[in-house]
Amino acid sequence: MRVDSLPLVRQLWQDHRDRLALAGLVAAFLGLFALTSALTAAYRSKEESLAEDWYEKGVRALDAREPEQAISDFRNALAWSRNNPAYQLRLAQALLASGRGEDAGAYLLTLRRREPGHGLVNLELARLAARAGHVQEAHRYYHDAIYGVWESDVPSWRRRARLELVEFLLGQGERAEAGAELRPLAQDLPPDAAAHAEVGRLFLRAGDPTRALAQFKGALEIEAGNAQALAGATEAAFALGRYPAVVEYGERALRREPRSADLSSRVETARQVLALDPARARLSGAERGRRVRRVFDVALAELDRCAAGATPSPELAGLLRRAHDLRPRLRPPALQRDLELREGAFDLALEAVRLASRACGEPAAPAPRAVLLLAGRNGTGG
């Protein structure tokens, strides 16, 4: 029995040794795999660390307005992290800052193909198209940026993109389109006086003084003494012919900007309009007559000044004779009781100031400028 069992024992021992050898091989393989994984992870970590170091150097260089150095740093970062989209975007920005728009565009278009709704990528593409004067392309990219995806501070970035679009459109002379972009922007402003004043200025440039004045009023509700809003409200009210408001806002603005010639001119002209206008409510007949006479004298002086500067045209010379012939009849009692005389003198004065303006340029002095504004309100002649 013992002799017969020896081969079985030997076989069992051999099987045990084979299992031990296999286990050793597996353990060795697992150890080698773990070591390789650890080395690979350490290498990748080192790569990421080097990429981040170069990237941070590039950001500092770009912030310091050193785009060439930034380009080199971002390219080094990409050498260690080739497909990192954040590094590619920063490299594109550095290329733009250095004036290498074509190279920047290639990176930006690659990024856009990867993520079409990326807000900042579309904004940079819009700026690039705007710089090249490609109106439709810039308009499309700006809109993609406005309605795109932003990682943080979304309302602020969208406002910035729309403001840039408005500035671009105004620069292209597209005032109607700029106004259309401003209207939704105006409805989504933060409670910030400077923001409202900025949009008010843009509405003025877009030829919409009514909405401009609303924005300046909004700014003044937030900050009553905001100088930019007061000056803008003065200008908008002047464009709308709201002369009492011009005086109100302008006087407040001049307390903050006393040396502003534009403000002073508008305020004084508005005062002259209010003092000369014979159609204002609740004036007596005598006061209306006095105002017509003052308007007539101002217009005649402007006509004389224009005629003295050059050989007058037959039209100007004829009007000048009519005005001098009429002037002796414009005495206070006659102007007070004779409505037809008063209206005729006023109409002749407005005609005179229009003609002088066409022949010799618009007047700079407040009084004749005020009469010209009255002429614009009472007719379209020039």
Side-chain angles (χ1 to χ4, degrees):
M1 293 291 294
R2 292 178 181 174
V3 174
D4 294 338
S5 64
L6 284 175
L8 179 60
V9 170
R10 289 192 187 98
Q11 183 63 44
L12 291 171
W13 175 244
Q14 184 63 41
D15 291 346
H16 179 66
R17 284 194 305 175
D18 289 346
R19 284 194 294 270
L20 287 175
L22 180 61
L25 286 172
V26 170
F29 177 77
L30 290 174
L32 182 61
F33 179 78
L35 178 61
T36 303
S37 298
L39 290 172
T40 301
Y43 182 73
R44 286 177 178 169
S45 177
K46 182 62 175 177
E47 282 185 321
E48 291 175 2
S49 177
L50 287 169
E52 288 176 4
D53 287 345
W54 283 113
Y55 174 75
E56 289 171 3
K57 288 179 181 178
V59 170
R60 289 194 294 272
L62 195 56
D63 290 343
R65 301 181 185 277
E66 299 174 356
E68 294 299 332
Q69 181 60 52
I71 289 169
S72 175
D73 293 337
F74 290 135
R75 281 183 169 155
N76 284 331
L78 282 166
W80 295 104
S81 183
R82 188 170 302 277
N83 296 317
N84 189 305
Y87 298 175
Q88 291 173 343
L89 177 55
R90 278 298 201 170
L91 174 57
Q93 290 176 321
L95 288 165
L96 280 172
S98 71
R100 293 152 71 176
E102 187 174 345
D103 293 338
Y107 278 101
L108 291 169
L109 287 171
T110 299
L111 289 167
R112 190 176 189 274
R113 282 192 291 270
R114 183 185 303 169
E115 191 176 348
H118 195 294
L120 186 54
V121 169
N122 280 297
L123 181 58
E124 294 293 2
L125 281 168
R127 290 166 173 168
L128 190 58
R131 189 181 302 175
H134 300 152
V135 178
Q136 293 182 345
E137 192 175 327
H139 197 284
R140 183 177 74 253
Y141 285 135
Y142 272 123
H143 266 225
D144 287 346
I146 292 165
Y147 299 109
V149 177
W150 296 89
E151 293 181 0
S152 61
D153 203 8
V154 177
S156 176
W157 275 108
R158 288 180 173 171
R159 279 194 298 272
R160 183 184 305 184
R162 200 182 289 275
L163 281 169
E164 285 190 24
L165 173 57
V166 169
E167 291 278 7
F168 172 67
L169 291 170
L170 288 172
Q172 296 293 318
E174 302 288 346
R175 297 174 74 190
E177 286 194 39
E181 294 293 341
L182 278 170
R183 288 192 283 276
L185 178 63
Q187 297 172 3
D188 189 34
L189 289 177
D192 178 76
H196 282 276
E198 181 182 15
V199 172
R201 274 283 162 206
L202 291 171
F203 269 125
L204 274 178
R205 290 175 58 193
D208 192 343
T210 300
R211 286 189 172 89
L213 185 57
Q215 289 301 313
F216 293 129
K217 285 181 176 179
L220 293 171
E221 288 174 2
I222 298 167
E223 183 185 341
N226 186 284
Q228 185 182 6
L230 286 168
T234 304
E235 185 176 348
F238 193 90
L240 291 167
R242 300 179 185 177
Y243 300 112
V246 174
V247 175
E248 177 193 347
Y249 290 124
E251 287 179 345
R252 290 167 59 189
L254 282 168
R255 287 197 285 271
R256 287 156 181 79
E257 298 182 51
R259 297 183 180 180
S260 172
D262 286 342
L263 281 171
S264 297
S265 175
R266 285 195 179 96
V267 170
E268 185 54 35
T269 300
R271 287 197 186 107
Q272 289 290 330
V273 171
L274 296 173
L276 291 171
D277 186 2
R280 287 180 64 79
R282 294 187 294 276
L283 295 179
S284 66
E287 177 60 20
R288 292 186 196 281
R290 283 191 290 270
R291 289 184 177 216
V292 166
R293 177 56 189 262
R294 286 201 295 271
V295 166
F296 188 91
D297 287 344
V298 168
L300 182 56
E302 191 66 14
L303 199 61
D304 282 333
R305 181 192 65 79
C306 181
T311 303
S313 66
E315 183 183 10
L316 193 149
L319 187 59
L320 193 60
R321 283 193 299 271
R322 286 169 54 201
H324 279 285
D325 289 344
L326 180 60
R327 190 172 186 275
R329 297 174 53 199
L330 304 181
R331 300 183 181 278
L335 285 169
Q336 180 178 349
R337 64 175 180 266
D338 191 337
L339 177 60
E340 185 177 347
L341 177 63
R342 196 162 66 223
E343 289 179 347
F346 187 64
D347 289 343
L348 183 60
L350 300 188
E351 185 181 354
V353 80
R354 287 189 195 113
L355 182 57
S357 175
R358 287 198 302 269
C360 300
E362 292 192 6
R369 192 178 175 199
V371 176
L372 186 61
L373 289 170
L374 290 174
R377 188 190 67 189
N378 284 270
T380 59

